[in-house]
Amino acid sequence: MSDVVREVELVVERREFAADGVLALTLRHPLGEPLPAWEPGAHIDVVLGPELERQYSLCGDAADRTAWRIAVLREPDGRGGSAHVHEQLGRGDKVRVRGPRNHFRLEPAPRYRFIAGGIGITPILPMLAAAEAAGAEWTLLYGGRSRRSMAFGGELERYGDRVTVAPQDESGLLDLASALGDLPDGTLVYSCGPGPLLDAVEELCPAGVLHVERFQPKKQLGGEDPEFEVELARSGRTLTVAPGVSVLDSVRAAGVEVLYSCTEGTCGTCETDVLAGTPDHRDSVLTREEQESGETMMICVSRCRGKRLVLDL
């Protein structure tokens, strides 16, 4: 099941630009209390207002329990979250935060290849420190539109030639074939960034080595959405999920409170245990192995392969 969800009100202690259009925020507890522990790859849900929640990767020092750092890319054509952070969230303001939650954990390995695109550097940054501390071999290939748009370049300099910074306006698209063409045994690949980058990485990686985190939902093949039933084991109710209606919307319409956020299958907030039945997974969070196990599902987008599901709700 998903991580234990905690909610806390934090204060914006610091605002600083990490790159053009990328605002880094440092958050602390107003009373100085220690924050929940987290591991590289974790993100938090930031509650910006009614019906306005966004997920941001923690990109600071995982050993520092006094503060959390996130970085937010200003997206002019976004849905309003990044604009709110850049324009409305000031130093000293309080903000409600849920988490941390982690679907992008750094698994132990003797060597890693990290590939980041743009704001995708945020979950990768603490992974580099963890790999370094573990004595693993690793390299990072980091791309973006230009050097000015690529966050945390100064922090990456301490790693020397293990980091390759490749702005598109200087060197074109990332040379993924060279980065992934000869992976020694035991190498794990971690990648985060725009959808086309992750799609290309997936095509080049052998099975079982790749871990990705997507900020946008993966494209799904079109298909029918037949009606099915969902039994809510804890609530003792059975609902009919109509074509074109999500399990999440059906559950909420029945008056059952559940946590959710993105409604796109990318954040993992609505992950729910499956007690019986076979989910039709349409999320961009679970690995192929996790999807095949059928133990959990993201009820905001995933459906049922069959006539009935039993959920732990």
Side-chain angles (χ1 to χ4, degrees):
M1 181 59 186
S2 57
D3 301 287
V4 175
V5 177
R6 307 172 180 88
E7 183 166 312
V8 63
E9 187 174 67
L10 302 181
V11 174
V12 179
E13 181 187 67
R14 185 182 306 147
R15 285 171 47 104
E16 55 189 344
F17 280 93
D20 282 355
V22 179
L23 180 64
L25 301 179
T26 300
L27 309 175
R28 291 187 186 271
H29 193 282
L31 300 179
E33 296 180 7
L35 300 179
W38 61 280
E39 296 178 351
H43 71 261
I44 55 175
D45 302 331
V46 180
V47 183
L48 300 171
E51 303 298 321
L52 187 61
E53 298 180 18
R54 294 295 182 267
Q55 294 72 46
Y56 300 111
S57 298
L58 293 172
C59 58
D61 180 0
D64 183 359
R65 299 285 299 276
T66 68
W68 283 346
R69 183 176 69 171
I70 60 175
V72 181
L73 171 66
R74 177 66 184 265
E75 299 182 85
D77 299 324
R79 296 182 296 159
S82 68
H84 182 98
V85 171
H86 278 247
E87 298 172 7
Q88 305 292 331
L89 205 54
R91 187 173 181 273
D93 286 346
K94 293 182 178 180
V95 61
R96 283 193 299 128
V97 171
R98 285 199 299 265
R101 183 181 289 106
N102 201 340
H103 288 280
F104 194 42
R105 284 186 171 86
L106 186 68
E107 302 293 339
R111 55 192 62 86
Y112 301 95
R113 298 279 172 88
F114 297 105
I115 299 176
I119 197 64
I121 190 61
T122 51
I124 299 295
L125 198 60
M127 290 184 177
L128 304 183
E132 184 81 354
E137 299 176 15
W138 63 267
T139 61
L140 166 66
L141 179 60
Y142 177 26
R145 296 188 309 276
S146 66
R147 288 185 187 273
R148 291 177 59 85
S149 71
M150 297 170 69
F152 306 118
E155 294 185 24
L156 294 171
E157 289 179 357
R158 68 177 183 268
Y159 294 121
D161 59 7
R162 282 173 293 176
V163 173
T164 300
V165 176
Q168 186 174 349
D169 62 353
E170 298 178 20
S171 52
L173 296 176
L174 294 180
D175 186 359
L176 298 178
S178 295
L180 300 171
D182 183 19
L183 295 177
D185 290 344
T187 302
L188 293 182
V189 178
Y190 279 78
S191 185
C192 185
L197 169 65
L198 300 184
D199 291 342
V201 170
E202 285 184 340
E203 289 185 8
L204 292 169
C205 278
V209 306
L210 177 61
H211 299 258
V212 302
E213 181 168 67
R214 292 178 179 269
F215 296 141
Q216 299 295 330
K218 193 173 183 178
K219 290 183 179 180
Q220 302 288 340
L221 296 176
E224 297 183 358
D225 290 340
E227 178 181 286
F228 60 96
E229 288 187 344
V230 171
E231 178 184 338
L232 309 181
R234 279 188 279 147
S235 305
R237 305 183 62 178
T238 298
L239 311 176
T240 298
V241 180
V245 178
S246 71
V247 176
L248 173 64
D249 287 343
S250 299
V251 169
R252 294 185 67 224
V256 178
E257 292 296 322
V258 292
L259 284 176
Y260 70 97
S261 185
C262 73
T263 70
E264 295 181 324
T266 59
C267 74
T269 303
C270 69
E271 185 178 12
T272 301
D273 284 339
V274 178
L275 305 180
T278 304
D280 177 7
H281 294 288
R282 304 184 182 187
D283 67 274
S284 303
V285 177
L286 298 176
T287 65
R288 184 179 303 171
E289 293 76 16
E290 289 170 335
Q291 290 184 347
E292 290 175 352
S293 77
E295 295 178 357
T296 69
M297 65 183 289
M298 306 301 161
I299 61 173
C300 66
V301 292
S302 297
R303 300 182 68 80
C304 177
R305 293 186 183 276
K307 296 295 185 181
R308 187 179 181 86
L309 286 172
V310 181
L311 302 180
D312 185 22
L313 290 173

